[in-house]
Amino acid sequence: MDKDILAKIDLAGCPLGTVLDKTEPDQSIEEQYFKGWANGLVAPPNWRMPSHYRVVKDGEVEVLEHTTKSDRCLVAGEPLWADYTVEAQVRQLNAYSQPSNDDPHGIVARSGIMVRYQDLRRYYYFCMEGFDRFVLYRREDEAWAMLADVQNGFDRGQYYHLKVVCEGERFACYVNGEPAFVAYDDRFSTGKAGVRTNTRSRMHGVQVTSSGVGQAAY
């Protein structure tokens, strides 16, 4: 089935260095390579909060690297998006994180995909957790409800292709093209899409797509 690209991050040819920094007057790189994406956990420019994102080369590929054990996310789309697919190549470099104002009890590293995003504290999250498992959470403020998981250790030196297909109450999650699990939940029926991490990690190939049926419903 043909799908339309709703949003993507294509870093091919992107200059290397710090990106998504609101204190940088020249936003031409962001406008070209991150158009439509918001760095949601960074405060207004007068706070002079670092983005913690930079573009680096990993082999021959330009990738987006998150450089610290802090919490950052990129979000795109519309609140009324409902049925769509989000995918990304993710490499998690650490198994641990550190507490933050957003997650004061956060110790375990998580990197992955957000779907049906309502705001910074309410969303579904399919992520790599520690170096031990892939898990789907529904987050609502301080409550993290685990909807499904698969215990499967992974290698910090490798990228893993994560994909979530949202169709109504059904969330089908894949790792490297293979089904990980299917979960059902009806708390959030629509929402934006994004990627998130709370540790040192690298990502590329971030893309949101939808079928003609999903587009028509929107």
Side-chain angles (χ1 to χ4, degrees), residues 54-68:
R54 65 182 181 183
V55 175
V56 300
K57 279 272 195 178
D58 200 342
E60 296 301 314
V61 180
E62 290 89 354
V63 302
L64 184 64
E65 180 179 70
H66 184 256
T67 60
T68 68

Side-chain angles (χ1 to χ4, degrees), residues 174-190:
Y174 299 81
V175 177
N176 291 338
E178 296 295 326
F181 47 72
V182 175
Y184 294 85
D185 193 82
D186 62 359
R187 189 66 56 86
F188 305 138
S189 59
T190 64

Side-chain angles (χ1 to χ4, degrees), residues 75 84 114-120 122-123 190-193:
V75 180
Y84 53 79
M114 297 187 299
V115 296
R116 303 277 176 80
Y117 169 98
Q118 310 295 298
D119 56 41
L120 290 167
R122 296 186 300 158
Y123 48 83
T190 64
K192 298 180 181 181

